[in-house]
Amino acid sequence: MKAIVIHEPGGPEVMRWEDRALPAIDPGEVLVRHTAIGVNFIDVYQRLGRYPVASYPSSIGSEGVGVVEAVGAGVTTLKRGQRVGYAMRAPGAYAEHRVVPAAMTVPLPDDVPDEVAAILMLKGMTAEYLLHRSYAVQAGDTVLVHAAAGGTGLLLCEWAHALGARVIGTTSTSAKAALARRHGADEVILYTEEDFAVRVKALTGGRGAQVVYDGVGKATFMKSLDALTTLGHVVCFGASSGAVEPFDLGKLSAGSLTVSRPVLFHYTADRGRLEQMAARTFAAYRDGKIRPEVSRRFALKDAAKAHRLLESRQSTGAMVLIP
Ligand SMILES: NC(=O)c1ccc[n+]([C@@H]2O[C@H](COP(=O)([O-])OP(=O)(O)OC[C@H]3O[C@@H](n4cnc5c(N)ncnc54)[C@H](OP(=O)(O)O)[C@@H]3O)[C@@H](O)[C@H]2O)c1
């Protein structure tokens, strides 16, 4: 099979298109032939070595969709020819085939196309747990979503809007702001030009937001605390601008504020919860609460092009690689 392989951490140029042996299937595993692969910022962290891979050479990538081609001993829940998707911390989705533990896969309903599933498995289930589990958004809440025009950001705006929240997004450009508005943001702040905390306070009569979804990290985190109302919560779920620096815990006493730093893979590690999360995410798609769309499609061998776009802040929405 062919796969994107890295022999060392580094820029997009370390991603090579190479031949690799088809992996052996251990008990409890299935061989998946990928049909669509989601592009995520976590893949950039893997490539850079910020999320270290076990050894080199390694593949990267965490969100895949495809067809089961072979089933390992002991697997009773899946059969050959079945469509499945998965999101896994272990790198390896940027490949024509992948061996995956059956317990990590989700059977795909007929009404969920492969490319849509390649958005829902990682970005969609992330939006599910962020909006329902890290902080349970209520109708009437003010919700601040950073990088609102990004892959995860658009889904958060749509779904929070469907839950009855007032959604304020932040983006770096007015074109991205217009996109976020089309996907559920009631207001958008250009956070590269304006102090977003001051603006959120102004938009909420001085009170602030109940929750901030902050996947940007270093550049936004401290101000995200300033944008909260009393008892407000920052969900710091990513670091596209760099890791959040250590901060004075006393800062939280300004409003009995709370902070969490969740990771999708801890939520999906429990099979029962994974099934609930997938079911609610598929239902949100079916009901039109979220409208996952592919913004850019690349051949898998051209994955470096997608990474360049993502890191240069020029991408919007969800990008997909096609093997
Ligand atoms: N913890 C979890 O479970 C989990 C799961 C999924 C994703 N995540 C995190 O969520 C975040 C979003 O992931 P995504 O895949 O959907 O990516 P994305 O939002 O589509 O792309 C990242 C966006 O971050 C913004 N950004 C701000 N500063 C940046 C910088 N210095 N360099 C690059 N981008 C910058 C850009 O939007 P603007 O141009 O509008 O600023 C950019 O488009 C990432 O931090 C990711 O690690 C976490």
Side-chain angles (χ1 to χ4, degrees):
M1 68 165 183
K2 288 276 194 186
I4 292 287
V5 179
I6 59 170
H7 292 257
E8 59 193 337
E13 69 284 352
V14 301
M15 298 160 74
R16 299 195 211 156
W17 183 236
E18 292 185 353
D19 291 312
R20 293 206 105 184
L22 265 187
I25 311 168
D26 284 334
E29 295 181 333
V30 292
L31 176 69
V32 177
R33 177 178 52 79
H34 285 140
T35 53
I37 297 154
V39 177
N40 292 282
F41 224 92
I42 185 176
D43 312 343
V44 172
Y45 304 147
Q46 289 168 350
R47 197 203 69 220
L48 288 169
R50 261 165 72 180
Y51 285 0
V53 300
S55 60
Y56 293 99
S58 173
S59 185
I60 62 170
S62 300
E63 183 174 33
V65 165
V67 178
V68 174
E69 285 210 329
V71 174
V75 176
T76 54
T77 51
L78 297 174
K79 55 181 191 302
R80 281 191 62 195
Q82 191 164 353
R83 295 170 61 241
V84 294
Y86 67 85
M88 270 168 63
R89 167 165 260 169
Y94 287 16
E96 289 177 332
H97 288 78
R98 182 175 193 185
V99 166
V100 183
M104 293 301 300
T105 68
V106 176
L108 297 182
D110 290 344
D111 62 348
V112 178
D114 289 12
E115 289 190 355
V116 168
I119 302 171
L120 296 184
M121 287 293 101
L122 200 151
K123 290 172 275 289
M125 289 203 292
T126 295
E128 193 272 354
Y129 87 75
L130 290 175
L131 296 167
H132 293 92
R133 301 170 195 268
S134 295
Y135 172 90
V137 170
Q138 306 294 315
D141 279 351
T142 296
V143 170
L144 178 64
V145 177
H146 287 311
T152 310
L154 288 180
L155 296 177
L156 284 172
C157 289
E158 290 169 345
W159 207 336
H161 178 83
L163 291 168
R166 178 187 190 193
V167 182
I168 305 177
T170 61
T171 63
S172 62
T173 69
S174 47
K176 286 188 173 189
L179 179 67
R181 278 200 190 86
R182 290 199 294 279
H183 289 263
D186 298 292
E187 270 103 9
V188 183
I189 305 167
L190 296 187
Y191 61 174
T192 42
E193 294 176 12
E194 197 180 350
D195 184 323
F196 68 82
V198 169
R199 183 76 187 289
V200 168
K201 287 281 167 89
L203 286 167
T204 54
R207 287 186 295 279
Q210 273 73 31
V211 62
V212 180
Y213 291 108
D214 189 340
V216 172
K218 184 176 182 171
T220 47
F221 177 73
M222 292 312 290
K223 273 205 189 303
S224 293
L225 294 175
D226 295 338
L228 289 175
T229 186
T230 307
L231 305 187
H233 185 73
V234 174
V235 190
C236 174
F237 68 100
S240 58
S241 69
V244 172
E245 284 162 4
F247 72 102
D248 174 10
L249 202 60
K251 175 103 177 132
L252 304 182
S253 67
S256 298
L257 310 175
T258 52
V259 175
S260 56
R261 204 332 183 172
V263 176
L264 170 69
F265 309 115
H266 298 141
Y267 287 83
T268 55
D270 177 85
R271 178 71 200 177
R273 193 164 46 224
L274 167 61
E275 288 176 4
Q276 286 170 9
M277 291 169 69
R280 182 149 55 186
T281 305
F282 293 142
Y285 165 66
R286 208 165 281 133
D287 299 345
K289 291 181 180 148
I290 50 175
R291 290 177 281 125
E293 289 165 14
V294 176
S295 63
R296 295 286 299 264
R297 230 172 244 102
F298 293 93
L300 174 57
K301 68 178 172 47
D302 294 328
K305 291 182 183 168
H307 277 219
R308 288 195 179 94
L309 274 183
L310 196 56
E311 288 177 281
S312 65
R313 289 174 93 158
Q314 284 170 34
S315 67
T316 56
M319 297 189 284
V320 167
L321 305 174
I322 306 297

